[in-house]
Amino acid sequence: MIQNMASLNPSVRLKGLLDYLRSFHDEDCEHCFPVELTRQQIANLVGLRVETVIRALKKMEQEGKIKIENRKILY
C-alpha cells in the first residue's frame, strides 16, 4: 500500500486504493465491486485533488480498468 501511495502516477495511487477496498469484497468478477465513496473522499484518501482524481478515473475507464455507470464507479 505504501508503494502505491508513494507513486507520482495518479492511476497507480487510485488502483492501489481500489485494490485495497476490493480485497474486503468476496466476488472475483470484473467490474462488479461498487465503490461507495465520493470523488472527494477518494481524493482525500490518496492525497490528490478532486480534478486529478476525475481525470485519472476517466483515463482508467478508457483503458477498461474500471467502469462508470450512472456516476457510480465499478471496479
Side-chain angles (χ1 to χ4, degrees):
M1 189 70 169
I2 292 175
Q3 289 177 345
N4 291 328
M5 291 302 136
S7 174
L8 295 177
N9 187 349
S11 296
V12 173
R13 287 185 180 193
L14 290 172
K15 185 173 179 340
L17 174 69
L18 295 175
D19 286 339
Y20 176 75
L21 294 173
R22 189 164 131 179
S23 69
F24 297 105
H25 197 261
D26 293 333
E27 296 181 31
D28 290 333
C29 65
E30 190 173 334
H31 304 304
C32 65
F33 172 66
V35 179
E36 300 293 333
L37 297 172
T38 65
R39 280 138 178 88
Q40 179 67 56
Q41 291 170 328
I42 293 171
N44 290 340
L45 286 171
V46 295
L48 297 170
R49 300 261 181 183
V50 179
E51 295 84 6
T52 307
V53 169
I54 292 169
R55 272 188 251 115
L57 287 173
K58 267 300 193 194
K59 184 177 178 183
M60 289 173 74
E61 181 186 25
Q62 291 171 352
E63 294 171 353
K65 295 179 182 176
I66 64 169
K67 196 173 192 180
I68 299 177
E69 290 182 356
N70 297 327
R71 302 176 66 188
K72 301 292 180 194
I73 302 168
L74 300 173
Y75 182 66

